[in-house]
Amino acid sequence: MWAFITFFGDSNFTLPGAALLFLWLVCNSRWQQALRWGWWFGLAMLLVAVSKILFMAWNIAPPLLNFTGISGHSASAAMLYLGMALLLSQEHGAGRRLFYLSLAALLVVAIAMSRLILGAHSMSEVIAGVGIGAFAVFLFNASLASPDPQPDTAPMKGKSLMAASLLLLLLLTDGRPAPTQTILEEIAQALSGQSRTYDRAVPLQEAAPAPEKQKRPV
């Protein structure tokens, strides 16, 4: 069950999902919102990648936290699902908006918990991921209050199509995780000039059974 839940935070699903959300805004002529969404989502993912590369390449990380980089699953899930809830409830009252945000928050918490239970991340990494994603959504929502040169107040169209596209995307990916960690390791090796990347000094407690992890000795 937890392996299924954790996939909803995998970049193989969240990155195309964020792109679909961008295209949905563009198709509704919400150009300002689309650009702001792309900016804040991209910036959050960049912070995740940089934090992981800094550790893997040069062992740069906050001390005493068992920290090897921001949890990408937690950050992208918080950004995508909270952002989607805000946009879908944009034309509704406070009650409907709170309902959508509560559902999104529950999904984000479940994904974050799955990273801990599966032994993929430490508590500090998951908290950092949720925090970065939620803060990026807060900044994105704040930017929506800025006046647009040509504001579009028409109701958003294609919500059902957007939901169907996400479902189709889920079926097409077939639960396969993206090779983002491997790509980041290769980048870290290229930047540092070392043949191996750094690994966490304090091992995590893994649930049983759990997928065998690839060790990256110093």
Side-chain angles (χ1 to χ4, degrees), residues 53-93:
I53 291 173
L54 285 175
F55 173 79
M56 289 190 291
W58 300 289
N59 197 22
I60 299 175
L64 306 177
L65 292 178
N66 197 7
F67 188 88
T68 65
I70 301 168
S71 168
H73 281 66
S74 302
S76 62
M79 184 71 190
L80 176 62
Y81 300 120
L82 292 176
M84 188 180 300
L86 284 172
L87 290 171
L88 289 175
S89 62
Q90 206 171 18
E91 301 147 13
H92 300 285

Side-chain angles (χ1 to χ4, degrees), residues 48-156:
V48 170
V50 168
S51 71
K52 292 187 175 186
I53 291 173
L54 285 175
F55 173 79
M56 289 190 291
W58 300 289
N59 197 22
I60 299 175
L64 306 177
L65 292 178
N66 197 7
F67 188 88
T68 65
I70 301 168
S71 168
H73 281 66
S74 302
S76 62
M79 184 71 190
L80 176 62
Y81 300 120
L82 292 176
M84 188 180 300
L86 284 172
L87 290 171
L88 289 175
S89 62
Q90 206 171 18
E91 301 147 13
H92 300 285
R96 182 72 65 89
R97 170 161 284 205
L98 180 60
F99 175 72
Y100 282 3
L101 285 172
S102 298
L103 288 180
L106 286 175
L107 179 57
V108 172
V109 169
I111 292 170
M113 288 180 58
S114 73
R115 304 310 288 162
L116 295 172
I117 293 173
L118 294 175
H121 281 290
S122 67
M123 179 65 74
S124 62
E125 294 162 356
V126 167
I127 291 175
V130 174
I132 289 293
F135 187 59
V137 169
F138 171 78
L139 294 175
F140 168 67
N141 187 52
S143 71
L144 297 182
S146 303
D148 290 340
Q150 294 179 335
D152 188 351
T153 57
M156 296 281 281

